[in-house]
Amino acid sequence: MKVLPPEVEEILAKFRLNREQLQEISEKVEQQMKMGLAKTQGSSIAMLPSYVPALPDGTETGKYVAIDLSGKNLRIMLLTMNGAGTTPTHETVNYIVANHVMKGTGDQLFTFIVNCLQRFLQEFGLVDANLPIGFVFSYPCELLSIRSARLLWWTKGFDIKDCLQRDIVALLEEALEMNMSTKVSIKAVMNDTVGQLAAAAHKYGPECTIGVVIGYGCNSSYLEKTSRITKFDAKARGYDHDNMIVVTEWEEFGKHGELDDILTQFDREVDAASVHKGKQLIDKLCGALYIGEVVRRVLSQLVLDRVLFEGQSCEKLDEDESFPTKYISEILGEEEGVFKACRRICEELEVEMHGTGDYIIIREVCDVISRRGASIVAAAISALLRHLELSSVKIGVGGALIQFHPTYHQMLKEKLEELTPITMKFELVPADEGSCQGAALIAAVAERLKL
């Protein structure tokens, strides 16, 4: 067992969550989920109806297009499916959204999307094919139907005032009408968690009814019985399906103080420096956008305490975002006792004197903070499993941390086994097909069900 200096142990003890703490978090999550299904306001977990009534069943055939707008990237995919027992094929093109478009007008943004779509269809000789489209739009929206979403506010660097409170599908359809010589039809709009769940369900079959994204932030979606979404008046909305995918929006859990007991001074500093102070606390404790910053602040404190680098200062560590989350992945990707990545990172941080003792501490800080994030996600997933009361389920997990963090999947699995009742059988399956493919699949589901 590693013997760490007492100053290091004292700080890391605040990040180590025991089973009772995690169980308490999990119970609070379940309580907020149930409230979110019953009420439109008051819960820190919104449980948003998606209007998507079913997941792909593998029988889908034909060509479908997906448009995925996420930050600076616009992805367009052509997905070709040949029915049960076959693997879909796809062609994807990425387009970069210019800064002036991200902060311009709605007309500029949707004209840009339509121009990219036209170029894409021309490239594949599909201008006259009248293909169905699934649209991934991962910004806070109020969904009004499977084809209608009112934008509440922008995130990820966008700031286009004249789109707020507007139906983004209607804006896209207007731009299509104005600019395109081809006919396409928008079949569904969704956020990335719904797309990822659809892609995982297509790959792993009907047991896969939960999808969790652990990327820059953390969110989930799952297949729910419509009758349990008691805040949703299905009859008034003309919704006559037994099931619906619900987007939890659990990244907001904690905004009512539910996580105050476990927040460290470092978490509070990260929150205070963020754009959305007091919001999206799950993202700040678990997401790839923030955990590198938490590690940086801990290491900076250990330098100040003269525990690291023989008491020498390290100015770089005092700079925001100078310890990106990819450093954590590189450090934990090496076998224990191997410190090549750690040595290189210390040099990149312009540390003059560093040695094995420093590397052991840095590695342990990365491990403990990663483990805390995975533990909180496991607590949230176990709450969802208890709510669903399924005897067996496959959980599609994807996102940057699952993809690139070498120990995250295993940490998540271990904690989930610890927190989930023995009677429930679960399997964590990698959902690496992504939301773009899922959007095309949801368009296919909408066609099949004649939505």
Side-chain angles (χ1 to χ4, degrees):
M1 189 170 159
K2 296 179 283 291
V3 179
L4 297 165
E7 300 92 334
V8 178
E9 273 301 348
E10 192 184 332
I11 286 176
L12 291 185
K14 296 168 187 168
F15 290 94
R16 292 192 173 105
L17 302 177
N18 61 37
R19 187 173 177 165
E20 287 71 34
Q21 287 172 301
L22 291 170
Q23 205 67 56
E24 191 183 331
I25 291 168
S26 189
E27 282 162 15
K28 285 179 184 173
V29 168
E30 188 180 3
Q31 183 190 352
Q32 291 299 311
M33 283 177 174
K34 289 187 188 307
M35 193 194 297
L37 289 171
K39 299 177 181 178
T40 51
Q41 288 182 322
S43 172
S44 59
I45 302 180
M47 305 299 270
L48 301 177
S50 72
Y51 289 85
V52 175
L55 288 162
D57 62 7
T59 62
E60 294 78 16
T61 59
K63 291 182 189 294
Y64 297 86
V65 170
I67 299 172
D68 186 345
L69 181 69
S70 185
K72 288 187 77 67
N73 292 308
L74 173 72
R75 279 189 302 163
I76 302 181
M77 175 187 282
L78 172 68
L79 187 70
T80 305
M81 290 176 285
N82 299 308
T86 61
T87 303
T89 59
H90 59 82
E91 303 282 353
T92 309
V93 179
N94 279 316
Y95 303 91
I96 301 296
V97 187
N99 281 333
H100 73 272
V101 174
M102 293 174 79
K103 292 178 169 58
T105 65
D107 185 46
Q108 284 174 310
L109 174 65
F110 288 100
T111 299
F112 169 75
I113 293 172
V114 167
N115 288 342
C116 291
L117 178 62
Q118 192 151 17
R119 275 203 316 240
F120 180 87
L121 294 173
Q122 279 168 347
E123 189 179 331
F124 294 102
L126 294 166
V127 173
D128 301 318
N130 197 7
L131 294 179
I133 290 181
F135 184 23
V136 180
F137 188 80
S138 296
Y139 303 86
C141 285
E142 179 192 358
L143 269 94
L144 307 168
S145 79
I146 195 170
R147 276 190 287 281
S148 177
R150 187 189 294 138
L151 176 64
L152 301 175
W153 64 85
W154 287 106
T155 56
K156 302 173 191 170
F158 276 88
D159 187 17
I160 304 173
K161 302 276 192 298
D162 64 2
C163 289
L164 296 174
Q165 300 303 322
R166 304 275 303 277
D167 182 345
I168 52 102
V169 176
L171 292 173
L172 180 56
E173 285 175 335
E174 279 169 29
L176 282 166
E177 236 170 81
M178 295 281 292
N179 295 281
M180 280 195 77
S181 55
T182 184
K183 281 188 165 55
V184 291
S185 53
I186 311 296
K187 287 289 177 184
V189 61
M190 70 212 75
N191 80 359
D192 56 349
T193 60
V194 175
Q196 186 191 277
L197 172 56
H202 186 265
K203 182 175 183 179
Y204 297 107
E207 271 199 343
C208 186
T209 55
I210 300 173
V212 181
V213 177
I214 314 163
Y216 289 135
C218 180
N219 200 0
S220 61
S221 62
Y222 71 100
L223 195 63
E224 179 62 281
K225 289 184 175 70
T226 308
S227 59
R228 293 180 80 177
I229 315 169
T230 52
K231 67 180 175 185
F232 180 74
D233 189 340
K235 198 173 179 184
R237 300 290 181 103
Y239 188 89
D240 59 354
H241 304 277
D242 293 340
N243 299 311
M244 186 193 290
I245 296 175
V246 167
V247 181
T248 65
E249 296 293 345
W250 70 24
E251 72 270 28
E252 286 290 358
F253 177 74
K255 72 176 181 183
H256 295 157
E258 302 98 329
L259 294 166
D260 284 4
D261 291 353
I262 67 158
L263 294 179
T264 68
Q265 75 191 70
F266 307 102
D267 300 313
R268 293 180 197 280
E269 286 168 11
V270 166
D271 180 41
S274 70
V275 179
H276 304 292
K277 187 178 183 301
K279 288 185 155 194
Q280 298 160 352
L281 284 177
I282 290 285
D283 290 354
K284 288 164 189 170
L285 297 172
C286 310
L289 194 60
Y290 295 99
I291 61 169
E293 188 60 5
V294 178
V295 168
R296 178 189 75 78
R297 286 174 184 271
V298 170
L299 297 179
S300 182
Q301 183 61 50
L302 291 173
V303 170
L304 207 61
D305 294 343
R306 307 178 74 79
V307 175
L308 272 179
F309 313 139
E310 296 185 9
Q312 292 177 86
S313 65
C314 174
E315 286 176 20
K316 275 262 196 224
L317 269 180
D318 292 330
E319 294 171 15
D320 287 352
E321 295 170 23
S322 59
F323 199 97
T325 300
K326 68 170 187 147
Y327 279 179
I328 298 175
S329 298
E330 288 169 9
I331 288 165
L332 296 179
E334 294 187 312
E335 286 175 38
E336 214 157 330
V338 177
F339 299 111
K340 279 183 188 167
C342 217
R343 187 180 296 117
R344 194 203 79 239
I345 288 162
C346 286
E347 279 160 14
E348 284 177 20
L349 292 168
E350 296 170 13
V351 179
E352 282 181 30
M353 301 277 285
H354 48 90
T356 305
D358 300 312
Y359 309 148
I360 289 168
I361 292 169
I362 293 168
R363 184 188 174 100
E364 191 66 9
V365 171
C366 290
D367 179 73
V368 168
I369 289 170
S370 297
R371 197 173 293 276
R372 180 188 66 164
S375 300
I376 293 168
V377 176
I381 295 173
S382 68
L384 190 50
L385 292 178
R386 285 195 308 279
H387 165 72
L388 287 171
E389 298 172 333
L390 298 167
S391 57
S392 180
V393 66
K394 288 180 180 171
I395 304 161
V397 287
L401 282 177
I402 290 291
Q403 211 175 337
F404 301 115
H405 190 299
T407 57
Y408 201 93
H409 191 281
Q410 188 57 30
M411 288 175 180
L412 184 63
K413 183 169 175 278
E414 283 169 12
K415 279 296 166 194
L416 204 46
E417 282 168 351
E418 198 180 299
L419 294 168
T420 303
I422 299 167
T423 50
M424 289 183 190
K425 299 222 170 347
F426 71 85
E427 187 185 349
L428 289 179
V429 291
D432 39 23
E433 273 67 28
S435 55
C436 210
Q437 182 165 324
L441 286 160
I442 294 287
V445 169
E447 283 265 282
R448 170 164 59 84
L449 297 176
K450 299 182 169 55
L451 300 175

